[in-house]
Amino acid sequence: MPNLLKSGKSVVRRTLIVGVATVVVAAGGAALAEVVSPDPVASPSFNGPVYAVAYRGDTVYVGGNFTSVAATGSKAVARTRLAAFDARTGALLPWNPSADANVRALAVDGDVVYAAGDFDAVNGEPRDAVAGLGAADAKLTPLRHTVLGQPNALVAHQGRLYVGGRITAVDGVPRSNLAAFTLATGALDPWAPTTDDTVNALAAANNRIYLGGRFHRTNGVSSTLRLTAVDPATGVLDRGFVAKPVSQVFALTADQTGVYAALGGLGGRAVAYTPAGATRWTRVFDGDAQAIAVLAGITYVGGHFDKACTTTNNGIKGVCTDGSVVRGKLAAIDSQGNLLDWSPQANGVAGTRQLATSATLGAISAVGDFTTVGGVTRKRYVSFTGARSFVEKKEAAGQVAAYNFDTTVADGTFDDGSGRGNLLRAVVRNGGKITFAKRGNGQAITFPGKCTGATCPRLVLQAADSPDLNPGSRPLRYGAAVLLTAAEAGGGENVLQKGYANGGGQYKLQVDGVSGKPSCGISGKTDTTVHIARSRQSIADGTWHTIECRRTGPTLSILVDDQIQASVAIPEGLSVESAQPFSLGGKGVGVDNDQFHGSLDDAWVSIG
């Protein structure tokens, strides 16, 4: 079985866990997250493309352009573009409606399965593009309308069925690519926001309906392009969400932490946005990302890509310019935007078209045009369960900043994976520049080499002062992964710092002297003494080490590779409230800036 653990992360437990995938906290505060096994479970095969998939309890519903289904070890059974089977065993169920053309989207609400697509009839009765079916008996509901256009997306939410696509009217009433139906009656709902081009995807969360597609205006408002949010009752544009993705949005999923989008364009992208629309992280692939889903904090992406880029840089035809790793049609990303080793390897050109997850079963399903996954036959449908754990060094709870240096935004700043929007910007002097080193599935940032004198290159990464980054007297944890050689050690090299001892207090992490021993320092707005916990262990050995500084009440501790190296007493009420920027790699770009000379990755701060 392929290694599921992110490179550079230590194994906490490798026991196969079947059931609900969770995120827990291990000893030392490191977060344990769980990714499903890359080994496909038993599942049926389809003789034509599958476009849509949805869970309801232990049942999986699928729609597409197939006419037969073959369960494991059984002969093909007729099923016309709609089917259902047991999610645990893969056994085909008696549910057997039929559609006379493609089914492109499914949604489940209570005891009803809703379908949308190109069809004119379902079960031999007129149903133009949208239909409701009994989840147990496949009987049609009264929902019946005339839809002019092609629906691509469905979501059921708060008593309405929302439809998106390329739509111009419903029952003769104008609609601009969006419509809704009242679930209680099946009637056309007054909800009628507009877009100027196709809507490919819908998602519901945070009292919003998120819209994704290739449009450039929502409700006639300029520069509301490709990904927007509207009110679920009124359709009014939510101006508190501004994302502006760089290319067409093919798929969306959303939760309380924000919205996740699968994009096409010059190479595909998976992007996580905060509820305000700020980018948390971006992953780039060498082909379109067409499907996206989240399960237990892990983001799963599907598309027709073959490789995942190690950075956000790509070139002609989407080719990764800074290196890549193989990811055939499926990939997984942790909560900080790190690409995981999960790689089931599906084949095909179109690849994965849609993903669905079940928190109850701890399962994920993928549908599309592939015929093999992981070297075994899985025709157009595959399911994964059996969650396995890996360690996330950065605890999500209380996190106020997180940087893995794999992703940037358009102006060259580094994304903040915590979702707080504390973007890093490079400050340089004397020819200092950003360079990168490969690390695992991503990259680390490398700072200028050792040099003495006023003309030495300087590089510091800074985030503007923010209340989020000032801990006051609350518990505080921060750290980074560090690579430093003996030749690069010397003086006091600043890894991470917020504030100064004489101006509101500070917290910092640095590497001291030629011995290369890291230390944690903290001072307060009234107590200007810098209290220091220094490691007994040197890290200047040319290998990666994780360093954490931890302030808990009256104690400051330093941990190297998850082991406490030293602890010192500090005033329990010590409070850090600095108005200075947050910095990595130095305290500024002046002559005496405590320039760091090694490589950094996975820097983070957690408060509370």
Side-chain angles (χ1 to χ4, degrees):
M1 180 178 291
N3 176 23
L4 301 179
L5 305 180
K6 179 181 180 291
S7 177
K9 305 296 186 183
S10 60
V11 180
V12 173
R13 55 189 172 105
R14 298 179 64 92
T15 306
L16 185 67
I17 302 170
V18 179
V20 181
T22 59
V23 177
V24 298
V25 177
L32 276 178
E34 293 182 344
V35 63
V36 295
S37 168
D39 298 330
V41 300
S43 59
S45 291
F46 297 81
N47 72 337
V50 182
Y51 299 135
V53 58
Y55 280 93
R56 178 180 178 267
D58 291 348
T59 301
V60 175
Y61 297 89
V62 295
N65 192 27
F66 51 86
T67 57
S68 68
V69 182
T72 303
S74 301
K75 293 182 178 180
V77 177
R79 289 290 186 273
T80 308
R81 302 184 180 89
L82 288 160
F85 50 91
D86 190 297
R88 296 182 184 274
T89 67
L92 189 65
L93 298 178
W95 195 79
N96 185 22
S98 63
D100 67 349
N102 294 338
V103 174
R104 297 186 178 275
L106 294 173
V108 176
D109 184 79
D111 295 330
V112 179
V113 177
Y114 295 96
D118 306 332
F119 50 82
D120 295 312
V122 176
N123 292 349
E125 298 184 31
R127 287 295 186 276
D128 184 5
V130 179
L133 295 152
D137 58 15
K139 290 182 179 179
L140 286 165
T141 71
L143 179 72
R144 180 180 173 181
H145 297 275
T146 300
V147 179
L148 188 60
Q150 177 184 293
N152 294 325
L154 291 175
V155 66
H157 181 67
Q158 294 182 352
R160 292 181 178 87
L161 178 68
Y162 300 90
V163 184
R166 191 171 63 249
I167 301 167
T168 57
V170 178
D171 299 335
V173 180
R175 288 291 186 268
S176 296
N177 304 312
L178 292 158
F181 303 99
T182 304
L183 293 180
T185 63
L188 179 65
D189 195 270
W191 187 86
T194 66
T195 64
D196 63 347
D197 208 336
T198 305
V199 174
N200 295 325
L202 300 171
N206 303 312
N207 198 34
R208 291 166 168 164
I209 301 299
Y210 293 99
L211 320 174
R214 64 186 187 192
F215 52 85
H216 292 81
R217 291 173 179 262
T218 303
N219 290 352
V221 178
S222 61
S223 298
T224 53
L225 69 167
R226 305 186 185 102
L227 177 56
T228 53
V230 297
D231 187 277
T234 65
V236 171
L237 179 69
D238 189 330
R239 295 178 182 268
F241 178 79
V242 181
K244 297 185 179 180
V246 297
S247 53
Q248 180 175 184
V249 174
F250 284 115
L252 295 174
T253 190
D255 57 24
Q256 296 306 306
T257 65
V259 61
Y260 306 80
L263 280 59
L266 184 64
R269 281 167 165 75
V271 187
Y273 298 96
T274 70
T279 301
R280 288 176 50 204
W281 52 255
T282 303
R283 296 296 337 175
V284 174
F285 304 88
D286 68 347
D288 288 347
Q290 301 173 148
I292 196 161
V294 175
L295 178 65
I298 306 300
T299 302
Y300 296 88
V301 185
H304 63 76
F305 50 82
D306 295 308
K307 296 178 180 179
C309 303
T310 54
T311 73
T312 52
N313 299 321
N314 60 2
I316 187 169
K317 296 183 179 180
V319 174
C320 304
T321 55
D322 296 332
S324 63
V325 291
V326 174
R327 292 292 183 274
K329 321 306 181 196
L330 292 162
I333 303 161
D334 75 10
S335 61
Q336 310 305 319
N338 297 304
L339 183 68
L340 299 177
D341 288 345
W342 189 78
S343 183
Q345 288 299 105
N347 70 344
V349 177
T352 301
R353 294 184 180 273
Q354 196 175 102
L355 296 168
T357 62
S358 169
T360 302
L361 302 175
I364 178 169
S365 288
V367 298
D369 291 281
F370 49 82
T371 56
T372 65
V373 179
V376 298
T377 299
R378 289 293 183 271
K379 293 183 178 180
R380 305 171 183 92
Y381 174 87
V382 67
S383 181
F384 307 95
T385 58
R388 296 186 66 187
S389 301
F390 67 92
V391 176
E392 285 187 302
K393 292 297 182 186
K394 302 170 292 296
E395 186 180 17
Q399 195 173 88
V400 296
Y403 310 101
N404 64 12
F405 307 114
D406 296 344
T407 65
T408 61
V409 291
D411 61 359
T413 57
F414 289 100
D415 297 339
D416 173 10
S418 75
R420 299 297 185 99
N422 295 308
L423 303 181
L424 285 176
R425 292 173 172 82
V427 182
V428 299
R429 182 172 293 177
N430 300 337
K433 63 180 181 179
I434 294 175
T435 57
F436 297 100
K438 182 174 174 57
R439 180 172 182 247
N441 293 324
Q443 66 181 5
I445 189 165
T446 299
F447 290 84
K450 285 182 69 174
C451 174
T452 58
T455 62
C456 290
R458 304 295 184 201
L459 167 63
V460 175
L461 302 179
Q462 288 189 334
D465 175 48
S466 164
D468 286 343
L469 296 170
N470 284 323
S473 58
R474 290 173 291 170
L476 169 68
R477 296 171 54 226
Y478 55 94
V482 177
L483 175 68
L484 190 72
T485 66
E488 292 167 333
E493 299 189 20
N494 199 314
V495 176
L496 180 157
Q497 182 166 331
K498 176 73 165 75
Y500 298 102
N502 59 357
Q506 69 175 194
Y507 56 89
K508 65 179 180 178
L509 165 61
Q510 65 182 38
V511 182
D512 301 325
V514 295
S515 65
K517 295 179 179 179
S519 66
C520 301
I522 190 168
S523 64
K525 62 180 181 179
T526 57
D527 176 15
T528 59
T529 301
V530 181
H531 304 274
I532 297 175
R534 182 173 287 108
S535 171
R536 301 182 296 272
Q537 172 186 332
S538 172
I539 62 165
D541 57 6
T543 61
W544 282 99
H545 295 277
T546 58
I547 308 172
E548 178 184 337
C549 300
R550 186 182 299 172
R551 179 262 175 92
T552 307
T555 304
L556 175 67
S557 301
I558 183 168
L559 294 81
V560 176
D561 298 329
D562 296 323
Q563 300 298 315
I564 293 179
Q565 294 291 316
S567 297
V568 296
I570 62 173
E572 187 164 7
L574 183 148
S575 179
V576 181
E577 297 179 19
S578 169
Q580 298 296 323
F582 173 81
S583 65
L584 296 176
K587 58 186 179 184
V589 291
V591 175
D592 184 22
N593 76 326
D594 295 336
Q595 181 70 61
F596 179 67
H597 300 302
S599 298
L600 293 183
D601 197 9
D602 293 337
W604 58 280
V605 179
S606 182
I607 296 175

